[in-house]
Amino acid sequence: MAVQSTASAADTREQLSAPSTSDVSSPLDKERLDNSGSRSGPNEADCKNARERVIRTAGAARSYGCLTWLSPSEGKTALRKGAATGPDGASASAVLDVPLPVNDCTGDEDGYWYATRTMQCQIAPNVKYSYYSSDNKLLGTALFATAQQLDLATNSLQWTETDQITMLSSTGTLPAGLSVSWTTSCSSPCAPGTTKLWTSAPISLGQNLKKTYTLTDQPSTGYDYIDLDYQLSIGSPDAIDLLPPITWGGAEVRCDNKISVADKAGCVVPWYTPTLLIPRSQYGSSADMLEWAQNNLSGHWGLRGTGQPLHRLKNSSQQASNRQAICGTSKFTKDPNIQDDTCDEFPFAGTYESGALNGVDHGKDCAQVTAVRADTSGNLAVDWPTVTPTGTVSGSEKCVRGHIPGALNSDVGSAYGVFVKDKLLADNDPFWLRITF
C-alpha cells in the first residue's frame, strides 16, 4: 500500500452528506484485534461521582461537562436511539441524519481495531458529552464517532495516519463554543513523538473533523515496535470539565531497516497474520500435496481454523540442513515414472515447523505421496494435478515427502520466497497457508 502524499495532511472540516455506511463496502481481508474492544475510559458512574463531589465543594454556581467513553455495545445502542429523546424525556432539540465517518473499516463500525499487513483502522460511535447545570440537572448531550486509519508500506519507513471525529447527534442544550482537542503520541524511535491534531477546534452537529499526517521510524539496528496512543478532550469555556481526557491505544507498527529482507526497509502491522495463497491451477500436484497434508496429518500446518500458523525460518544454513535431512541425495530416490521427479517436502524447510526441526532426521519417516498423471497437454499443473499416498500413513507423521515434477516443486518454493518479501516476514513471523483453485 503506497504512502499517501503529505499534501493531504491539511486539517479539513466538512459537513457530512455521504450515503449511509451500508452503501459502502470494504472487501479487504481484515483481522480483528479481539482485546481492543475492552479499552476503558470514564463512564456514566464516574461522571455521577464527579458531579456529586463538585457540588459538595463548589464555591460558585457553574455548569459542568462530562466526557465519557462508550463501549462497543453502548455505542451501538446510542447510535440506534439516534438521540431521539432529550433530557427528561423531551424531544431532541437537534437531530440530523449524520453518517459515521468512512475509512477501510466501514462495515465494521464496532470499536475494535482491524488490520491487514499494511493497514490498521477502527470506526465507532464511542464518545458522549453530557452537559449539566450547577444543580446537577442534565441539560443536553452530544454523541461523537471517531475513525482512525494507519496506512503503511513494506518499502518505506514512513506511514500516514488519518484521524476523524464526527458529531453525530445532540439533545437539549449544549454550552457555547464546544471544541475538540486531540493528541497522538508515537513511541520512540518514531518521529514526531507528539502530534497535536486539534487544539480547541470548534465542532458542531453534523461536522466532521479530519486530518492526515505523516509519521516516520528512525531506523535502529533491530526491529522497532512502535505503539500509538491517543488523548481526546471535548469541552467548552462555559462548562467545568469534570473528568480527565479520554485516552486509548491499540495501534501498533513494526519497522525494520533491511533486517527481515536484505534489500527492503519498511513497516507492517505485526499482529496481523498474512495468508500465503497457493493456486492448484498454477502448482498442480505440489499444491495438492500441501492440502493433503493439511487435511490428513495431525499437524494441520497453516490450516486456519484447524491448525496453527507456520512460522518463517530466516537462517539459510538451517534451511539447507532441514532440506538435507528430508530430501538429501542419499535419502531420496527419484521415480522414473514422474516427469523430472524431485523431492518435495512440507512443512517447508524455511519454516520452524520443518520435520527436521521436530525430531525427523530422514525423509522416510515422513508420510509419503506421489504425483498422479492425468493428461499429456504439456501444462504440468494440468498433467500432474494431484497426489496419492504410498505406503502406510498413520496421520501422526511430522511431515510429508512427495515425488513431484521439478518445476511445480520449485515454483511453490519461489512463491513462498516472494510472499516473505511482499509481507516483510521477520524470523518466526506466523503465516497461514491456503490452497485455492
Side-chain angles (χ1 to χ4, degrees):
M1 186 178 295
V3 174
Q4 298 178 21
S5 168
T6 54
S8 66
D11 187 355
T12 61
R13 294 186 179 90
E14 54 191 16
Q15 294 295 125
L16 294 181
S17 57
S20 67
T21 56
S22 62
D23 296 328
V24 184
S25 63
S26 177
L28 299 174
D29 183 18
K30 301 192 297 289
E31 181 177 337
R32 190 174 83 173
L33 180 61
D34 285 336
N35 65 4
S36 62
S38 63
R39 293 176 293 172
S40 61
N43 55 34
E44 293 292 341
D46 296 323
C47 180
K48 180 181 178 182
N49 293 335
R51 296 197 314 271
E52 292 174 348
R53 285 196 302 270
V54 78
I55 288 170
R56 287 195 302 268
T57 60
R62 288 286 304 274
S63 56
Y64 308 103
C66 267
L67 189 64
T68 54
W69 181 268
L70 302 180
S71 68
S73 60
E74 290 171 336
K76 288 181 180 180
T77 299
L79 194 61
R80 284 197 300 269
K81 288 181 178 177
T85 57
D88 302 323
S91 296
S93 59
V95 177
L96 294 180
D97 184 17
V98 179
L100 290 166
V102 173
N103 63 21
D104 283 348
C105 269
T106 294
D108 293 306
E109 301 92 343
D110 57 9
Y112 288 86
W113 284 106
Y114 290 81
T116 65
R117 192 64 170 173
T118 54
M119 185 279 300
Q120 185 168 346
C121 62
Q122 68 89 11
I123 304 175
N126 53 8
V127 178
K128 180 182 179 181
Y129 179 83
S130 302
Y131 181 46
Y132 291 89
S133 66
S134 59
D135 58 355
N136 204 13
K137 180 180 179 181
L138 180 62
L139 300 176
T141 64
L143 176 65
F144 297 84
T146 63
Q148 298 175 262
Q149 180 162 328
L150 289 72
D151 289 306
L152 316 172
T154 60
N155 61 353
S156 176
L157 295 176
Q158 285 192 334
W159 68 95
T160 60
E161 178 162 348
T162 300
D163 294 324
Q164 304 177 63
I165 184 167
T166 302
M167 186 170 172
L168 298 173
S169 63
S170 69
T171 69
T173 301
L174 294 173
L178 202 62
S179 63
V180 171
S181 296
W182 178 312
T183 300
T184 296
S185 298
C186 191
S187 67
S188 178
C190 170
T194 300
T195 302
K196 292 186 178 297
L197 280 68
W198 301 288
T199 302
S200 299
I203 192 166
S204 58
L205 184 62
Q207 189 174 29
N208 171 254
L209 302 183
K210 180 178 181 180
K211 188 167 186 177
T212 298
Y213 51 103
T214 299
L215 299 166
T216 304
D217 172 55
Q218 307 296 312
S220 66
T221 57
Y223 290 97
D224 297 332
Y225 286 85
I226 296 167
D227 294 318
L228 283 299
D229 295 292
Y230 308 94
Q231 178 176 288
L232 171 68
S233 62
I234 299 174
S236 164
D238 293 342
I240 297 174
D241 294 331
L242 291 176
L243 296 172
I246 290 173
T247 60
W248 71 99
E252 186 178 9
V253 173
R254 187 189 73 202
C255 300
D256 74 85
N257 184 21
K258 300 180 181 179
I259 302 174
S260 297
V261 178
D263 58 353
K264 292 185 76 173
C267 303
V268 297
V269 178
W271 56 264
Y272 177 81
T273 303
T275 300
L276 171 59
L277 302 178
I278 299 293
R280 286 177 168 275
S281 60
Q282 189 171 352
Y283 303 110
S285 53
S286 189
D288 191 55
M289 185 190 81
L290 303 181
E291 189 168 52
W292 179 89
Q294 285 186 319
N295 291 330
N296 292 282
L297 301 182
S298 59
H300 305 295
W301 305 283
L303 183 59
R304 190 166 190 167
T306 303
Q308 297 299 312
L310 293 154
H311 296 81
R312 182 202 174 189
L313 170 64
K314 181 182 177 183
N315 187 295
S316 57
S317 295
Q318 185 62 64
Q319 291 178 27
S321 177
N322 292 346
R323 291 191 189 96
Q324 179 64 28
I326 306 300
C327 288
T329 54
S330 64
K331 299 181 179 181
F332 178 79
T333 302
K334 293 188 176 185
D335 184 345
N337 296 312
I338 305 298
Q339 183 175 340
D340 186 24
D341 186 26
T342 58
C343 178
D344 200 357
E345 65 178 297
F346 183 70
F348 305 134
T351 67
Y352 280 95
E353 288 68 31
S354 168
L357 291 178
N358 292 279
V360 179
D361 59 9
H362 196 298
K364 65 180 176 59
D365 296 323
C366 301
Q368 306 295 311
V369 299
T370 188
V372 178
R373 187 162 209 159
D375 205 341
T376 56
S377 68
N379 181 329
L380 279 178
V382 172
D383 294 346
W384 300 88
T386 60
V387 297
T388 188
T390 59
T392 302
V393 176
S394 69
S396 61
E397 290 85 355
K398 296 181 179 180
C399 48
V400 61
R401 186 174 72 170
H403 292 267
I404 303 294
L408 298 178
N409 182 357
S410 62
D411 285 353
V412 167
S414 296
Y416 176 44
V418 170
F419 174 77
V420 166
K421 292 184 178 181
D422 284 349
K423 303 303 180 184
L424 209 63
L425 289 186
D427 186 58
N428 207 33
D429 263 3
F431 65 96
W432 301 107
L433 173 68
R434 186 165 77 238
I435 308 306
T436 65
F437 292 97

